[in-house]
């Protein structure tokens, strides 16, 4: 039959979208894994922003007039105020990459006749991560450390006065009206300091990223070369009573980090916000207690008293033969509690999670005794 191919093409099966070959995949697609090199384009911890408040609206100039009432007097209304530019801390924002280099508030509207005031300009809100420092000329002017905190970066200008405002017994028909004032203009430097409960501090290739992957759902890059981690990563440790402890993986430090060597003070500042520290030491190297001394020295040189925060020493890579030999020597040299584990095999992670919860509970009780609210995730 010569019409048979045509009939097959026009059959309902040819246009069916329920067949497996033609139907769309309705399953949720997983996020594409971003490498550490690509992540540097998305994670930004400092930004220079120019903010300008909205200009106030000009005052109105008019005189009331209607039949049988020609000289009704001035009725020009005042102009609206300009809108502010407000920085607002938001826990859903994790980086300053979404912050633009320039923001301006909305302008106020001009005053109208019949004593109608101009509308005020709407505010412009800029969402920044929790833990953002706002600096102007090198001085800290705001610290947005809590979710929902706001800071007025630039005030809007006041609206102008209409000629009705200048009505007096001496001047019954004023012709004066003032323009709106310009908004405040400032140049601010935003600096992000990661807000986490615990901070993993250690030298490169000590196993910090592997440990964070083992105790949380964070996926920092792991490789056999130094400086694998180029950006801080925050992982959340979940407990059965629904408490969540945030652990930050700070990029590896080296000797002279306080002098801006290596990654330098760029990431030392992220340790300032950590309430307690987890020193990660590689047990397979000779004299691992030297690493702990060097780490504390770098922290103390950067910020006096930083190394005295509550801490625990984590001896990583206990699965190696050299580590079992160095473990008793490390415990003899240091006064802090030493937890030996293996982030690769998962040995003794339960002891770390239990002690991490003890440090968190102590922090919560201390903040509550001071009358302050602890940071919760």
């Amino acid at each position: 039959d010569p019409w048979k191919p045509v009939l097959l093409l026009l059959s309902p099966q040819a246009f069916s979208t329920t067949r497996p070959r033609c139907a769309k995949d309705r399953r949720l697609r997983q996020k594409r894994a971003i490498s550490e090199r690509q992540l540097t384009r998305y994670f930004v911890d400092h930004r220079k922003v120019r903010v300008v408040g909205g200009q106030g609206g000009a005052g109105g100039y008019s005189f009331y007039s209607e039949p049988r009432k020609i000289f009704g007097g001035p009725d020009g209304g005042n102009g609206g105020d300009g809108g502010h530019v407000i920085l607002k801390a938001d826990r859903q924002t994790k980086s300053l990459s979404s912050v633009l280099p320039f923001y301006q508030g909305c302008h106020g509207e001009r005053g109208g006749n019949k004593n109608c005031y101009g509308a005020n300009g709407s505010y412009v809100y800029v969402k920044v991560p929790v833990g953002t420092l706002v600096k102007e000329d090198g001085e800290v002017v705001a610290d947005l450390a809590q979710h929902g905190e706001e800071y007025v970066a630039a005030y809007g200008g006041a609206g102008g006065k209409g000629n009705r405002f200048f009505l007096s017994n001496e001047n019954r028909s004023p012709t004066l009206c003032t323009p709106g004032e310009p908004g405040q203009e400032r140049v601010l430097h935003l600096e992000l300091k990661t807000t986490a409960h615990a901070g993993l501090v250690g030298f490169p290739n000590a196993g910090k990223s592997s440990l964070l992957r083992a105790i949380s759902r964070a996926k920092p890059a792991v490789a056999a070369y130094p400086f694998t981690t180029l950006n801080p990563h925050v992982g959340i440790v979940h407990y059965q009573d629904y408490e969540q402890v945030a652990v930050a993986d700070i990029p590896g430090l080296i000797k002279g980090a306080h002098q801006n060597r290596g990654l330098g003070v760029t990431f030392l500042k992220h340790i300032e916000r950590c309430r307690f520290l987890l020193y990660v030491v590689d047990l397979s190297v000779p004299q691992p207690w030297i690493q702990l001394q060097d780490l504390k020295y770098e922290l103390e040189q950067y910020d006096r008293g930083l190394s005295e925060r509550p801490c625990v020493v984590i001896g990583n890579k206990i699965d190696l033969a050299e580590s079992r030999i160095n473990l008793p020597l490390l415990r003899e040299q240091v006064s802090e509690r030493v937890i030996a584990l293996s982030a690769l095999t998962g040995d003794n992670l339960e002891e770390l999670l239990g002690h991490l919860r003890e440090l968190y509970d102590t922090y919560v009780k201390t903040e509550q005794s001071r009358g302050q609210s602890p940071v919760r995730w």
Side-chain angles (χ1 to χ4, degrees):
D1 189 357
W3 297 101
K4 188 174 183 180
V6 179
L7 293 176
L8 288 176
L9 289 175
L10 298 179
S11 63
Q13 292 184 351
F15 295 95
S16 175
T17 57
T18 59
R19 299 171 60 185
R21 186 178 63 181
C22 302
K24 294 183 179 179
D25 189 3
R26 302 180 185 274
R27 293 175 298 177
L28 294 177
R29 297 181 180 179
Q30 296 181 352
K31 272 189 174 182
R32 181 174 57 89
I34 300 177
S35 65
E36 191 70 27
R37 294 287 181 178
Q38 292 174 326
L39 190 61
T40 57
R41 297 181 300 174
Y42 300 98
F43 184 84
V44 178
D45 57 356
H46 57 87
R47 181 75 81 184
K48 181 180 178 181
V49 183
R50 178 171 165 258
V51 290
V52 181
Q55 184 173 358
Y61 174 79
S62 65
F63 287 89
Y64 184 75
S65 179
E66 66 177 11
R68 295 183 299 275
K69 194 175 182 180
I70 302 176
F71 302 101
D75 65 347
N78 298 337
D81 298 333
H84 306 331
V85 179
I86 301 177
L87 304 179
K88 185 174 183 179
D90 181 34
R91 66 165 59 100
Q92 300 298 330
T93 306
K94 303 301 181 183
S95 172
L96 294 174
S97 59
S98 60
V99 178
L100 302 178
F102 175 74
Y103 288 96
Q104 185 173 21
C106 298
H107 302 315
E109 294 186 3
R110 181 184 181 89
N113 57 356
K114 298 183 180 180
N115 297 323
C116 292
Y117 283 33
N120 295 332
S122 58
Y123 297 164
V124 174
Y125 286 90
V126 182
K127 292 184 178 181
V128 296
V130 176
T132 300
L133 283 179
V134 184
K135 295 184 177 180
E136 184 178 17
D137 298 330
E139 297 183 359
V140 179
V141 295
D143 186 2
L144 305 177
Q146 298 290 336
H147 174 72
E149 280 189 314
E150 298 180 359
Y151 173 71
V152 181
Y155 286 94
K161 304 299 182 182
N163 63 339
R164 171 72 181 184
F165 178 81
F166 300 98
L167 178 64
S168 64
N169 292 330
E170 291 77 15
N171 187 5
R172 304 304 298 175
S173 57
T175 58
L176 176 63
C177 61
T178 60
E181 297 182 0
Q184 185 183 16
E185 182 175 354
R186 303 171 69 185
V187 177
L188 303 175
H189 294 267
L190 306 183
E191 182 178 310
L192 174 60
K193 294 186 177 181
T194 304
T195 302
H197 299 120
L200 295 173
V201 184
F203 283 96
N205 279 17
K208 302 183 298 300
S209 300
S210 300
L211 181 59
L212 186 64
R213 293 170 70 101
I215 64 178
S216 69
R217 295 182 180 179
K219 300 298 181 183
V222 175
Y225 53 86
F227 297 110
T228 308
T229 303
L230 301 177
N231 301 287
H233 294 264
V234 179
I236 308 299
V237 181
H238 299 268
Y239 289 91
Q240 294 182 353
D241 57 351
Y242 302 104
E243 285 288 350
Q244 299 179 356
V245 180
V247 181
D249 176 20
I250 308 300
L253 305 178
I254 64 173
K255 293 183 179 180
H258 68 281
Q259 300 175 350
N260 211 18
R261 294 180 181 177
L263 296 178
V265 299
T266 304
F267 297 108
L268 273 171
K269 61 187 178 183
H270 292 281
I271 307 177
E272 293 183 45
R273 296 296 177 90
C274 297
R275 274 63 183 180
F276 39 91
L277 304 179
L278 307 179
Y279 295 102
V280 182
V281 177
D282 187 359
L283 288 177
S284 62
V285 300
Q287 299 180 343
W289 54 89
I290 301 297
Q291 291 187 2
L292 182 61
Q293 297 175 2
D294 294 338
L295 289 174
K296 289 187 175 182
Y297 175 78
E298 294 298 329
L299 296 182
E300 196 66 23
Q301 292 297 317
Y302 173 73
D303 186 7
R304 187 172 301 276
L306 185 58
S307 63
E308 299 176 359
R309 295 187 181 182
C311 65
V312 62
V313 180
I314 301 174
N316 196 15
K317 304 181 183 180
I318 193 60
D319 53 314
L320 302 179
E322 301 86 353
S323 302
R324 300 188 183 94
I325 301 175
N326 294 330
L327 178 58
L329 301 177
L330 175 63
R331 287 175 171 169
E332 293 178 359
Q333 296 291 332
V334 301
S335 58
E336 295 84 358
R337 180 177 177 178
V338 179
I339 299 177
L341 53 83
S342 174
L344 180 63
T345 62
D347 295 340
N348 207 23
L349 287 179
E350 294 80 6
E351 182 180 357
L352 172 61
L353 295 177
H355 188 67
L356 182 64
R357 180 57 188 271
E358 294 177 5
L359 292 173
Y360 174 75
D361 292 339
T362 304
Y363 156 71
V364 172
K365 293 179 181 179
T366 303
E367 292 295 315
Q368 291 177 350
S369 63
R370 297 176 180 175
Q372 301 178 359
S373 59
V375 176
R376 298 184 183 273
W377 282 73

